[in-house]
Amino acid sequence: MTVFAQALHAALYGLPVDNDPLPTALDELLQATHTATTPEQKSAVLRRLADQLGNAAEIIQRYQYQAQADRLPDDVATQLSEARSQAQRIAEILDHAAPAFTSPPAAQVPPRPQPSHTTAPPAAPPGHRR
């Protein structure tokens, strides 16, 4: 649908038609977050996002290597390296967190009553007066 709308827009305004639009998988995943209602769907969205972030980390790494090959300023490659590391870390966190949406919450055990610190005086031995 988006491709058709873009082509119509280009035709109406005399713009060149982009025959090879970039994929928009994250846009679709964003929409899925609004429609996911079951725990399994929510978990699946997080797992898919983790996969996509892993892919993003690979894309960033390719551009990092390209920046080095093209002899761009060192800080560009450094920033891309840091972004790749962060994307990988977020992907790992999401992959670890996703199962929590399908697992039942841990049963909450009420705390045990604590012994009181006020104690009665020891009982006097039989036949003893105070």
Side-chain angles (χ1 to χ4, degrees):
M1 182 72 165
T2 304
V3 174
F4 176 73
Q6 289 173 341
L8 178 61
H9 179 78
L12 288 174
Y13 293 100
L15 302 171
V17 178
D18 186 7
N19 293 331
D20 191 21
L22 294 174
T24 58
L26 285 176
D27 292 340
E28 294 169 10
L29 194 54
L30 176 60
Q31 292 303 316
T33 64
H34 297 291
T35 59
T37 56
T38 68
E40 292 77 16
Q41 290 171 331
K42 293 174 183 179
S43 179
V45 166
L46 284 179
R47 286 185 192 276
R48 182 69 51 91
L49 182 57
D51 290 342
Q52 292 294 343
L53 284 171
N55 292 338
E58 287 185 38
I59 292 168
I60 294 167
Q61 185 175 37
R62 289 177 187 249
Y63 279 95
Q64 172 194 350
Y65 293 157
Q66 190 65 49
Q68 292 167 332
D70 291 346
R71 298 180 189 266
L72 295 178
D74 289 340
D75 67 321
V76 172
T78 301
Q79 289 172 349
L80 290 171
S81 175
E82 291 171 4
R84 178 186 52 82
S85 295
Q86 290 173 359
Q88 286 175 325
R89 178 70 180 129
I90 294 169
E92 291 168 3
I93 291 168
L94 292 176
D95 200 38
H96 185 273
F101 283 86
T102 56
S103 301
Q108 300 239 342
V109 177
R112 294 188 347 193
Q114 298 294 322
S116 67
H117 293 287
T118 57
T119 58
H128 183 274
R129 296 181 134 199
R130 282 195 190 208

